Coordinates of all heavy atoms in Angstrom, one line a residue:
M28 N 17.5 -27.5 -47.2 CA 17.8 -26.1 -46.8 C 18.3 -26.1 -45.4 O 18.1 -27.0 -44.6 CB 16.6 -25.3 -47.0 CG 15.4 -25.6 -46.1 SD 13.9 -24.7 -46.4 CE 12.9 -25.3 -45.2
Y29 N 18.9 -24.9 -45.0 CA 19.5 -24.8 -43.7 C 18.5 -24.5 -42.7 O 17.7 -23.6 -42.9 CB 20.6 -23.7 -43.8 CG 21.3 -23.5 -42.5 CD1 22.2 -24.5 -41.9 CD2 21.1 -22.3 -41.8 CE1 22.8 -24.3 -40.8 CE2 21.7 -22.1 -40.6 CZ 22.5 -23.1 -40.1 OH 23.2 -22.9 -38.9
C30 N 18.4 -25.1 -41.6 CA 17.5 -24.9 -40.5 C 18.3 -24.4 -39.2 O 19.0 -25.2 -38.7 CB 16.6 -26.1 -40.2 SG 15.5 -25.8 -38.9
S31 N 18.2 -23.1 -38.9 CA 18.9 -22.6 -37.8 C 18.4 -23.1 -36.4 O 19.1 -23.1 -35.4 CB 18.9 -21.1 -37.8 OG 17.5 -20.7 -37.6
W32 N 17.2 -23.7 -36.3 CA 16.7 -24.2 -35.1 C 17.0 -25.7 -34.8 O 16.6 -26.2 -33.8 CB 15.1 -24.0 -35.1 CG 14.8 -22.6 -35.1 CD1 14.5 -21.8 -36.2 CD2 14.7 -21.7 -34.0 NE1 14.2 -20.6 -35.9 CE2 14.3 -20.5 -34.5 CE3 14.9 -21.9 -32.7 CZ2 14.1 -19.3 -33.7 CZ3 14.7 -20.8 -31.8 CH2 14.3 -19.5 -32.4
G33 N 17.7 -26.3 -35.8 CA 18.0 -27.7 -35.7 C 19.0 -28.0 -34.5 O 19.6 -27.1 -34.0
W34 N 19.0 -29.3 -34.1 CA 19.9 -29.7 -33.0 C 21.3 -30.1 -33.6 O 22.2 -30.4 -32.8 CB 19.3 -30.9 -32.3 CG 18.1 -30.6 -31.5 CD1 16.8 -30.6 -31.9 CD2 18.0 -30.2 -30.2 NE1 15.9 -30.2 -31.0 CE2 16.7 -29.9 -29.9 CE3 19.0 -30.0 -29.2 CZ2 16.2 -29.5 -28.6 CZ3 18.5 -29.5 -27.9 CH2 17.2 -29.4 -27.6
A35 N 21.4 -30.0 -34.9 CA 22.7 -30.5 -35.5 C 23.9 -29.6 -35.0 O 24.9 -30.2 -34.8 CB 22.6 -30.4 -37.0
G36 N 23.7 -28.3 -34.9 CA 24.8 -27.5 -34.6 C 24.4 -26.4 -33.5 O 25.3 -26.0 -32.7
G37 N 23.1 -26.0 -33.5 CA 22.8 -24.9 -32.7 C 21.8 -25.3 -31.5 O 20.9 -24.6 -31.2
G38 N 21.9 -26.5 -31.0 CA 21.0 -27.0 -30.0 C 21.0 -26.1 -28.8 O 20.0 -25.8 -28.3
W39 N 22.2 -25.7 -28.3 CA 22.3 -24.9 -27.1 C 21.7 -23.5 -27.3 O 21.2 -22.9 -26.4 CB 23.7 -24.9 -26.7 CG 24.1 -26.1 -25.9 CD1 24.8 -27.1 -26.3 CD2 23.6 -26.4 -24.6 NE1 24.9 -28.0 -25.3 CE2 24.2 -27.7 -24.2 CE3 22.8 -25.8 -23.6 CZ2 23.9 -28.3 -23.0 CZ3 22.5 -26.4 -22.4 CH2 23.1 -27.7 -22.1
N40 N 21.7 -23.0 -28.6 CA 21.1 -21.7 -28.9 C 19.6 -21.7 -28.5 O 19.1 -20.8 -27.9 CB 21.3 -21.4 -30.3 CG 22.7 -20.9 -30.6 OD1 23.4 -20.5 -29.7 ND2 23.1 -20.9 -31.9
F41 N 19.0 -22.8 -29.0 CA 17.6 -23.0 -28.7 C 17.3 -22.9 -27.2 O 16.3 -22.2 -26.8 CB 17.1 -24.2 -29.4 CG 15.6 -24.5 -29.3 CD1 14.7 -23.6 -29.9 CD2 15.1 -25.5 -28.5 CE1 13.3 -23.8 -29.8 CE2 13.7 -25.7 -28.4 CZ 12.8 -24.9 -29.1
V42 N 18.0 -23.6 -26.4 CA 17.8 -23.7 -25.0 C 18.1 -22.3 -24.4 O 17.3 -21.9 -23.5 CB 18.8 -24.7 -24.3 CG1 18.7 -24.7 -22.8 CG2 18.4 -26.2 -24.8
I43 N 19.2 -21.7 -24.8 CA 19.4 -20.3 -24.3 C 18.3 -19.3 -24.7 O 17.9 -18.5 -23.8 CB 20.8 -19.9 -24.8 CG1 21.9 -20.7 -24.2 CG2 21.0 -18.4 -24.6 CD1 23.3 -20.5 -24.8
I44 N 17.8 -19.4 -25.9 CA 16.7 -18.5 -26.3 C 15.5 -18.8 -25.4 O 14.8 -17.8 -25.0 CB 16.4 -18.7 -27.8 CG1 17.6 -18.1 -28.6 CG2 15.0 -18.1 -28.2 CD1 17.5 -18.4 -30.1
L45 N 15.1 -20.1 -25.2 CA 14.0 -20.4 -24.4 C 14.2 -19.8 -23.0 O 13.3 -19.3 -22.4 CB 13.9 -21.9 -24.2 CG 12.9 -22.6 -25.1 CD1 12.8 -24.1 -24.8 CD2 11.5 -21.9 -25.1
F46 N 15.5 -19.9 -22.4 CA 15.7 -19.4 -21.1 C 15.6 -17.9 -21.0 O 14.9 -17.4 -20.1 CB 17.2 -19.8 -20.8 CG 17.7 -19.1 -19.5 CD1 17.4 -19.6 -18.3 CD2 18.5 -18.0 -19.6 CE1 17.8 -19.0 -17.1 CE2 19.0 -17.4 -18.4 CZ 18.6 -18.0 -17.2
W47 N 16.0 -17.2 -22.1 CA 15.9 -15.8 -22.1 C 14.4 -15.3 -22.2 O 13.9 -14.4 -21.6 CB 16.7 -15.1 -23.2 CG 18.1 -15.0 -22.7 CD1 19.2 -15.7 -23.2 CD2 18.7 -14.0 -21.8 NE1 20.3 -15.3 -22.6 CE2 20.0 -14.3 -21.7 CE3 18.1 -13.0 -21.0 CZ2 20.9 -13.5 -20.8 CZ3 18.8 -12.3 -20.2 CH2 20.2 -12.6 -20.1
V48 N 13.7 -16.1 -23.0 CA 12.2 -15.7 -23.2 C 11.5 -15.9 -21.9 O 10.7 -15.1 -21.5 CB 11.6 -16.6 -24.3 CG1 10.1 -16.6 -24.3 CG2 12.1 -16.2 -25.7
A49 N 11.8 -17.0 -21.2 CA 11.1 -17.2 -19.9 C 11.6 -16.2 -18.9 O 10.7 -15.6 -18.1 CB 11.6 -18.6 -19.3
L50 N 12.8 -15.8 -18.9 CA 13.3 -14.7 -18.0 C 12.6 -13.4 -18.3 O 12.2 -12.7 -17.3 CB 14.8 -14.6 -18.2 CG 15.6 -14.0 -17.0 CD1 15.6 -15.0 -15.9 CD2 16.9 -13.6 -17.4
I51 N 12.5 -13.1 -19.6 CA 11.9 -11.7 -19.9 C 10.4 -11.7 -19.6 O 9.9 -10.8 -19.1 CB 12.2 -11.4 -21.4 CG1 13.7 -11.1 -21.6 CG2 11.3 -10.3 -21.9 CD1 14.1 -11.2 -23.1
L52 N 9.7 -12.9 -20.0 CA 8.3 -12.9 -19.6 C 8.1 -12.8 -18.1 O 7.1 -12.2 -17.7 CB 7.7 -14.3 -20.2 CG 7.4 -14.3 -21.7 CD1 6.9 -15.7 -22.1 CD2 6.5 -13.2 -22.1
G53 N 8.9 -13.5 -17.3 CA 8.8 -13.4 -15.9 C 9.0 -12.1 -15.4 O 8.3 -11.6 -14.5
G54 N 10.0 -11.3 -16.0 CA 10.3 -10.0 -15.6 C 9.1 -9.1 -15.9 O 8.8 -8.2 -15.0
I55 N 8.5 -9.2 -17.0 CA 7.4 -8.4 -17.4 C 6.2 -8.7 -16.5 O 5.6 -7.8 -16.0 CB 7.0 -8.7 -18.9 CG1 8.1 -8.1 -19.8 CG2 5.6 -8.1 -19.2 CD1 7.9 -8.6 -21.3
A56 N 6.0 -10.0 -16.1 CA 4.9 -10.3 -15.3 C 5.1 -9.6 -13.9 O 4.2 -9.1 -13.3 CB 4.7 -11.8 -15.1
L57 N 6.4 -9.7 -13.4 CA 6.7 -9.1 -12.1 C 6.5 -7.6 -12.1 O 6.0 -7.1 -11.2 CB 8.1 -9.5 -11.8 CG 8.4 -10.7 -10.9 CD1 9.9 -10.9 -10.6 CD2 7.6 -10.5 -9.5
A58 N 7.0 -7.0 -13.2 CA 6.9 -5.5 -13.3 C 5.4 -5.2 -13.4 O 5.0 -4.2 -12.7 CB 7.6 -5.0 -14.6
A59 N 4.6 -5.9 -14.1 CA 3.1 -5.6 -14.2 C 2.5 -5.7 -12.8 O 1.7 -4.9 -12.5 CB 2.5 -6.5 -15.2
A60 N 2.8 -6.8 -12.1 CA 2.2 -7.0 -10.8 C 2.7 -5.9 -9.9 O 1.8 -5.3 -9.1 CB 2.7 -8.3 -10.2
F61 N 3.9 -5.4 -10.0 CA 4.4 -4.4 -9.1 C 3.7 -3.1 -9.4 O 3.3 -2.3 -8.5 CB 5.9 -4.2 -9.3 CG 6.5 -3.1 -8.5 CD1 6.7 -3.4 -7.1 CD2 6.9 -1.9 -9.0 CE1 7.3 -2.3 -6.3 CE2 7.4 -0.9 -8.2 CZ 7.7 -1.1 -6.9
L62 N 3.5 -2.7 -10.7 CA 2.9 -1.5 -11.1 C 1.4 -1.5 -10.7 O 0.9 -0.5 -10.2 CB 3.0 -1.3 -12.6 CG 4.3 -0.8 -13.1 CD1 4.4 -0.8 -14.6 CD2 4.7 0.5 -12.5
A63 N 0.7 -2.7 -10.8 CA -0.7 -2.8 -10.5 C -0.8 -2.6 -9.0 O -1.7 -1.9 -8.5 CB -1.2 -4.1 -10.9
R64 N 0.2 -3.2 -8.2 CA 0.0 -3.0 -6.7 C 0.3 -1.6 -6.3 O -0.4 -1.1 -5.4 CB 1.0 -3.9 -6.0 CG 0.6 -4.4 -4.7 CD 1.8 -5.2 -4.0 NE 2.8 -4.2 -3.6 CZ 3.9 -4.6 -3.0 NH1 4.1 -5.9 -2.8 NH2 4.9 -3.7 -2.6
K65 N 1.2 -0.9 -7.1 CA 1.5 0.5 -6.7 C 0.4 1.4 -7.1 O 0.1 2.2 -6.3 CB 2.8 0.9 -7.5 CG 3.5 2.1 -6.9 CD 4.8 2.3 -7.6 CE 5.6 3.4 -6.9 NZ 6.8 3.7 -7.7
K66 N -0.3 1.0 -8.1 CA -1.4 1.9 -8.6 C -2.6 1.8 -7.6 O -3.3 2.8 -7.4 CB -1.8 1.5 -10.0 CG -2.6 2.6 -10.7 CD -2.9 2.2 -12.2 CE -1.7 2.3 -13.1 NZ -2.0 2.0 -14.5
T67 N -2.9 0.5 -7.1 CA -4.0 0.4 -6.2 C -3.5 0.3 -4.8 O -4.0 -0.5 -4.0 CB -4.7 -0.9 -6.6 OG1 -3.8 -2.0 -6.5 CG2 -5.3 -0.9 -8.0
G68 N -2.5 1.0 -4.4 CA -1.9 1.0 -3.1 C -3.0 1.6 -2.1 O -4.0 2.1 -2.5
V69 N -2.5 1.7 -0.9 CA -3.4 2.2 0.2 C -3.8 3.7 -0.1 O -2.8 4.5 -0.1 CB -2.8 2.1 1.6 CG1 -3.7 2.5 2.7 CG2 -2.4 0.6 1.8
P70 N -5.0 4.0 -0.3 CA -5.3 5.4 -0.6 C -5.2 6.3 0.7 O -5.5 5.7 1.8 CB -6.7 5.3 -1.1 CG -7.3 4.2 -0.5 CD -6.2 3.2 -0.3
E71 N -4.8 7.5 0.6 CA -4.7 8.4 1.8 C -6.1 9.1 1.8 O -6.3 10.2 1.3 CB -3.6 9.3 1.6 CG -2.3 8.6 1.6 CD -1.1 9.6 1.6 OE1 -1.3 10.8 1.1 OE2 -0.1 9.2 2.0
E72 N -7.1 8.4 2.5 CA -8.4 8.7 2.4 C -8.9 9.8 3.4 O -10.0 10.3 3.3 CB -9.4 7.5 2.4 CG -9.4 6.9 3.9 CD -8.3 5.9 4.1 OE1 -7.2 6.1 3.6 OE2 -8.5 4.9 4.8
H73 N -8.0 10.0 4.3 CA -8.4 11.0 5.5 C -7.6 12.3 5.3 O -6.6 12.3 4.6 CB -8.1 10.4 6.9 CG -8.9 9.1 7.2 ND1 -10.2 9.2 7.6 CD2 -8.6 7.8 7.0 CE1 -10.6 8.0 7.8 NE2 -9.7 7.1 7.4
T74 N -8.1 13.3 5.9 CA -7.5 14.6 5.9 C -7.3 15.0 7.3 O -8.1 14.8 8.2 CB -8.3 15.7 5.1 OG1 -9.6 15.7 5.6 CG2 -8.3 15.3 3.6
C75 N -6.2 15.7 7.5 CA -5.8 16.3 8.9 C -6.9 17.4 9.2 O -7.1 18.3 8.4 CB -4.5 16.8 8.8 SG -4.0 17.7 10.3
P76 N -7.5 17.3 10.4 CA -8.4 18.3 10.8 C -7.7 19.7 11.0 O -8.4 20.7 11.1 CB -9.1 17.8 12.1 CG -8.1 16.8 12.6 CD -7.3 16.2 11.4
S77 N -6.4 19.7 11.2 CA -5.7 20.9 11.6 C -5.2 21.6 10.2 O -5.5 22.8 10.0 CB -4.5 20.6 12.4 OG -4.9 20.0 13.6
C78 N -4.6 20.9 9.3 CA -4.0 21.5 8.2 C -4.6 21.0 6.8 O -4.3 21.6 5.8 CB -2.5 21.2 8.1 SG -2.0 19.5 7.8
G79 N -5.5 20.0 6.9 CA -6.1 19.5 5.7 C -5.2 18.6 4.8 O -5.6 18.2 3.8
G80 N -4.0 18.3 5.3 CA -3.1 17.4 4.5 C -3.7 16.0 4.5 O -4.4 15.6 5.4
P81 N -3.1 15.2 3.5 CA -3.6 13.8 3.5 C -2.9 13.0 4.5 O -1.7 13.0 4.7 CB -3.1 13.4 2.1 CG -2.0 14.3 1.8 CD -2.3 15.6 2.4
V82 N -3.7 12.2 5.3 CA -3.2 11.3 6.3 C -3.9 10.0 6.2 O -4.9 9.9 5.5 CB -3.4 11.9 7.7 CG1 -2.6 13.1 8.0 CG2 -4.9 12.1 8.0
R83 N -3.2 8.9 6.7 CA -3.9 7.6 6.7 C -4.5 7.3 8.0 O -4.2 7.9 9.1 CB -2.7 6.6 6.4 CG -2.2 6.7 5.0 CD -1.2 5.7 4.6 NE -0.7 6.0 3.3 CZ 0.2 5.2 2.7 NH1 0.8 4.3 3.4 NH2 0.6 5.5 1.5
S84 N -5.5 6.4 8.0 CA -6.3 6.1 9.1 C -5.5 5.6 10.3 O -6.0 5.7 11.4 CB -7.4 5.1 8.7 OG -6.8 3.9 8.2
M85 N -4.3 5.0 10.0 CA -3.6 4.4 11.2 C -2.7 5.5 11.8 O -2.1 5.2 12.9 CB -2.8 3.2 10.8 CG -1.5 3.5 10.0 SD -1.9 3.8 8.2 CE -1.9 2.1 7.6
Y86 N -2.6 6.6 11.2 CA -1.7 7.7 11.8 C -2.2 8.2 13.1 O -3.4 8.4 13.2 CB -1.5 8.9 10.8 CG -0.7 8.6 9.6 CD1 -0.5 9.5 8.7 CD2 -0.1 7.3 9.4 CE1 0.2 9.3 7.5 CE2 0.7 7.0 8.3 CZ 0.8 8.0 7.3 OH 1.6 7.8 6.2
L87 N -1.4 8.4 14.0 CA -1.7 9.0 15.4 C -1.5 10.5 15.4 O -2.2 11.2 16.0 CB -0.9 8.3 16.5 CG -1.2 6.8 16.7 CD1 -0.3 6.3 17.8 CD2 -2.6 6.5 16.8
R88 N -0.5 10.9 14.6 CA -0.2 12.4 14.5 C -0.1 12.7 12.9 O 0.3 11.9 12.2 CB 1.1 12.7 15.1 CG 0.9 12.8 16.6 CD 2.2 13.4 17.3 NE 2.1 14.8 17.4 CZ 2.8 15.5 18.3 NH1 3.8 14.9 19.0 NH2 2.7 16.8 18.5
C89 N -0.5 13.9 12.7 CA -0.3 14.4 11.3 C 1.1 14.6 11.0 O 1.9 15.2 11.7 CB -1.1 15.7 11.1 SG -0.8 16.5 9.5
P90 N 1.7 13.9 9.9 CA 3.1 14.1 9.5 C 3.4 15.5 8.9 O 4.5 15.8 8.8 CB 3.3 13.0 8.5 CG 2.0 12.8 7.9 CD 1.0 13.0 9.0
H91 N 2.3 16.2 8.6 CA 2.6 17.5 7.9 C 2.6 18.6 9.0 O 3.5 19.5 8.9 CB 1.4 17.9 7.0 CG 1.2 16.7 6.0 ND1 2.0 16.4 5.0 CD2 0.1 15.8 5.9 CE1 1.5 15.3 4.3 NE2 0.4 15.0 4.9
C92 N 1.7 18.7 10.0 CA 1.7 19.7 11.0 C 1.9 19.3 12.4 O 2.1 20.1 13.3 CB 0.4 20.5 10.9 SG -1.0 19.6 11.5
G93 N 2.0 17.9 12.6 CA 2.2 17.4 14.0 C 1.0 17.4 14.8 O 1.0 17.1 16.0
G94 N -0.2 17.7 14.2 CA -1.4 17.8 15.0 C -1.9 16.4 15.4 O -1.6 15.4 14.7
H95 N -2.6 16.3 16.5 CA -3.1 15.0 16.9 C -4.2 14.5 16.1 O -5.2 15.3 15.8 CB -3.6 15.0 18.4 CG -2.4 15.1 19.4 ND1 -1.7 14.0 19.7 CD2 -1.8 16.2 20.0 CE1 -0.7 14.3 20.6 NE2 -0.8 15.7 20.8
L96 N -4.3 13.3 15.6 CA -5.3 12.7 14.8 C -6.2 11.8 15.6 O -7.3 11.4 15.3 CB -4.7 12.0 13.6 CG -3.9 12.8 12.7 CD1 -3.2 12.0 11.6 CD2 -4.7 13.9 12.0
K97 N -5.6 11.3 16.7 CA -6.4 10.2 17.5 C -6.4 10.7 19.0 O -5.4 11.4 19.4 CB -5.7 8.9 17.4 CG -5.8 8.3 16.0 CD -7.1 7.5 15.8 CE -7.3 7.1 14.3 NZ -6.1 6.5 13.7
K98 N -7.3 10.2 19.7 CA -7.3 10.4 21.2 C -8.0 9.3 21.9 O -8.7 8.4 21.1 CB -8.0 11.8 21.6 CG -9.5 11.8 21.2 CD -10.1 13.1 21.6 CE -11.6 13.2 21.2 NZ -12.2 14.5 21.5
H99 N -7.9 9.2 23.1 CA -8.6 8.1 23.8 C -9.9 8.5 24.4 O -10.1 9.6 24.8 CB -7.6 7.6 25.0 CG -6.5 6.9 24.5 ND1 -6.5 5.6 24.0 CD2 -5.1 7.3 24.4 CE1 -5.3 5.2 23.7 NE2 -4.4 6.3 23.9
C100 N -10.9 7.6 24.2 CA -12.2 7.9 24.7 C -12.1 8.0 26.3 O -11.4 7.1 26.9 CB -13.2 6.7 24.4 SG -14.7 6.8 25.3
P101 N -12.6 9.0 26.9 CA -12.5 9.2 28.4 C -13.2 8.2 29.2 O -13.0 7.9 30.3 CB -13.0 10.6 28.6 CG -14.0 10.9 27.5 CD -13.4 10.2 26.3
S102 N -14.2 7.5 28.5 CA -14.9 6.5 29.2 C -14.4 5.0 29.1 O -14.2 4.4 30.1 CB -16.4 6.5 28.7 OG -17.1 5.5 29.3
C103 N -14.0 4.6 27.8 CA -13.6 3.3 27.6 C -12.1 3.2 27.1 O -11.6 2.1 26.9 CB -14.5 2.5 26.7 SG -14.4 3.1 25.0
S104 N -11.5 4.4 27.0 CA -10.1 4.5 26.5 C -9.9 3.9 25.1 O -8.8 3.5 24.7 CB -9.1 4.1 27.5 OG -9.3 2.8 27.9
R105 N -10.9 3.7 24.3 CA -10.7 3.3 22.9 C -10.1 4.4 22.2 O -10.4 5.6 22.4 CB -12.1 2.9 22.4 CG -12.1 2.5 20.9 CD -13.5 2.6 20.3 NE -13.6 1.9 19.0 CZ -13.2 2.3 17.8 NH1 -12.7 3.5 17.8 NH2 -13.5 1.6 16.8
L106 N -9.3 4.1 21.1 CA -8.7 5.1 20.3 C -9.7 5.6 19.2 O -10.3 4.9 18.5 CB -7.5 4.5 19.5 CG -6.3 5.4 19.3 CD1 -5.8 6.1 20.5 CD2 -5.2 4.6 18.6
V107 N -10.0 6.9 19.3 CA -11.0 7.5 18.5 C -10.4 8.7 17.7 O -9.4 9.2 18.1 CB -12.2 8.0 19.2 CG1 -12.9 6.8 19.9 CG2 -11.8 8.9 20.3
Q108 N -11.0 9.1 16.6 CA -10.6 10.2 15.8 C -10.9 11.5 16.6 O -11.9 11.6 17.3 CB -11.3 10.3 14.5 CG -11.2 9.1 13.7 CD -10.0 9.1 12.7 OE1 -9.3 10.0 12.6 NE2 -9.8 7.9 12.1
V109 N -10.0 12.5 16.5 CA -10.2 13.7 17.3 C -11.4 14.5 16.9 O -12.0 15.2 17.7 CB -9.0 14.7 17.2 CG1 -7.8 14.1 18.0 CG2 -8.6 15.0 15.8
D110 N -11.9 14.3 15.6 CA -13.1 15.0 15.2 C -14.4 14.2 15.5 O -15.4 14.7 15.1 CB -12.9 15.4 13.7 CG -12.6 14.3 12.8 OD1 -12.3 13.2 13.4 OD2 -12.8 14.4 11.6
W111 N -14.3 13.1 16.1 CA -15.5 12.3 16.4 C -16.2 13.0 17.6 O -15.5 13.4 18.6 CB -15.2 10.9 16.7 CG -14.9 10.1 15.5 CD1 -14.8 10.6 14.2 CD2 -14.5 8.7 15.4 NE1 -14.5 9.6 13.3 CE2 -14.2 8.4 14.0 CE3 -14.4 7.8 16.4 CZ2 -13.8 7.2 13.6 CZ3 -14.0 6.5 15.9 CH2 -13.8 6.2 14.6
K112 N -17.5 13.0 17.6 CA -18.3 13.7 18.7 C -18.7 12.6 19.7 O -18.8 12.9 20.9 CB -19.5 14.4 18.2 CG -19.2 15.5 17.2 CD -18.6 16.7 18.0 CE -18.4 17.9 17.0 NZ -17.2 17.7 16.1
Y113 N -18.8 11.4 19.3 CA -19.3 10.3 20.2 C -18.4 9.0 20.0 O -18.0 8.8 18.9 CB -20.7 10.0 20.0 CG -21.6 11.1 20.4 CD1 -22.1 12.0 19.4 CD2 -22.2 11.2 21.7 CE1 -22.9 13.0 19.7 CE2 -23.0 12.3 22.0 CZ -23.3 13.2 21.1 OH -24.2 14.2 21.4
C114 N -18.2 8.4 21.1 CA -17.5 7.1 21.0 C -18.3 6.0 20.4 O -19.4 5.8 20.8 CB -17.0 6.6 22.4 SG -16.1 5.0 22.4
P115 N -17.8 5.4 19.3 CA -18.7 4.3 18.7 C -18.8 3.0 19.5 O -19.7 2.2 19.2 CB -18.0 4.0 17.3 CG -16.5 4.3 17.7 CD -16.6 5.5 18.6
D116 N -17.9 2.8 20.5 CA -18.0 1.7 21.3 C -19.0 1.8 22.5 O -19.9 1.0 22.7 CB -16.6 1.3 21.8 CG -15.9 0.4 20.8 OD1 -16.5 0.2 19.7 OD2 -14.8 0.0 21.1
C117 N -18.7 2.9 23.3 CA -19.5 3.0 24.6 C -20.4 4.1 24.5 O -21.2 4.4 25.5 CB -18.5 3.2 25.7 SG -17.7 4.8 25.7
Q118 N -20.5 4.8 23.4 CA -21.5 5.8 23.1 C -21.3 7.1 24.0 O -22.2 7.9 24.0 CB -22.9 5.4 23.1 CG -23.2 4.1 22.3 CD -24.5 3.5 22.5 OE1 -25.5 4.2 22.6 NE2 -24.6 2.2 22.7
A119 N -20.2 7.2 24.7 CA -20.0 8.4 25.5 C -19.7 9.5 24.6 O -19.1 9.4 23.5 CB -18.8 8.1 26.5
K120 N -20.1 10.7 25.1 CA -19.8 12.0 24.4 C -18.4 12.3 24.6 O -17.8 12.3 25.7 CB -20.7 13.1 25.0 CG -20.7 14.3 24.0 CD -21.6 15.4 24.6 CE -21.9 16.5 23.5 NZ -20.6 17.1 23.0
L121 N -17.7 12.6 23.5 CA -16.3 13.0 23.5 C -16.1 14.5 23.6 O -16.7 15.2 22.8 CB -15.6 12.4 22.2 CG -15.7 10.9 22.0 CD1 -15.2 10.5 20.6 CD2 -15.0 10.1 23.1
D122 N -15.4 14.9 24.6 CA -15.1 16.3 24.6 C -14.0 16.7 23.7 O -13.3 15.8 23.1 CB -14.8 16.7 26.1 CG -13.7 15.8 26.7 OD1 -13.0 15.2 25.9 OD2 -13.7 15.7 28.0
D123 N -13.6 18.0 23.6 CA -12.8 18.5 22.6 C -11.3 18.5 23.1 O -10.4 18.8 22.4 CB -13.1 19.9 22.3 CG -14.4 19.9 21.5 OD1 -14.8 18.9 20.8 OD2 -15.2 21.0 21.6
Q124 N -11.0 18.1 24.4 CA -9.6 18.1 24.8 C -8.9 17.0 24.2 O -9.3 15.9 23.9 CB -9.6 18.0 26.4 CG -10.0 16.5 26.8 CD -9.7 16.3 28.2 OE1 -9.3 17.2 28.9 NE2 -9.8 15.0 28.6
T125 N -7.6 17.5 23.8 CA -6.7 16.5 23.1 C -5.7 16.1 24.2 O -5.0 17.0 24.7 CB -6.1 17.0 21.9 OG1 -5.4 18.3 22.2 CG2 -7.1 17.3 20.8
S126 N -5.6 14.9 24.5 CA -4.6 14.4 25.4 C -3.4 13.8 24.8 O -3.5 13.0 23.9 CB -5.2 13.3 26.4 OG -5.7 12.3 25.6
Ligands
LIG212 ZN1 -1.9 18.4 9.8
LIG213 ZN1 -15.7 4.8 24.6

């Protein structure tokens, strides 16, 4: 009987099919990894004290209203959140002025 997978006439077809299967599997794996990374991306866990919009912890200003999110400790000049009452490093009391 006729065997389409034999090397007698369609040897290159088998190689080309293997190539495409590997390519498609690789593409699916890449897409899955990309989707998983996108789904578990950096969460916007902070909210702006001025407008309540989502901001990230590394932001210095709110991208929504332009309000300041960080300020410098008057005692040790560490970068602290504007809504913090005390500096976690030097324990100094933080006043409400935004510089
Ligand atoms: Zn804001
Ligand atoms: Zn300090």
Side-chain angles (χ1 to χ4, degrees):
M28 67 183 178
Y29 179 71
C30 177
S31 62
W32 294 95
W34 291 88
W39 278 106
N40 284 341
F41 183 67
V42 173
I43 289 167
I44 288 168
L45 263 187
F46 172 78
W47 277 108
V48 166
L50 202 74
I51 290 165
L52 283 179
I55 289 171
L57 265 179
F61 179 77
L62 284 176
R64 209 188 71 181
K65 201 172 184 183
K66 200 176 283 183
T67 59
V69 181
E71 297 187 333
E72 71 273 32
H73 295 277
T74 53
C75 170
S77 302
C78 70
V82 293
R83 291 182 182 176
S84 56
M85 76 279 273
Y86 288 178
L87 299 179
R88 284 189 93 159
C89 173
H91 310 289
C92 70
H95 287 281
L96 301 172
K97 296 273 174 46
K98 64 181 178 181
H99 289 282
C100 170
S102 177
C103 70
S104 56
R105 179 200 197 278
L106 212 56
V107 295
Q108 306 271 351
V109 288
D110 53 347
W111 287 359
K112 298 289 185 284
Y113 294 91
C114 174
D116 273 6
C117 69
Q118 306 174 45
K120 192 175 193 307
L121 303 170
D122 47 25
D123 291 331
Q124 68 164 11
T125 56
S126 57

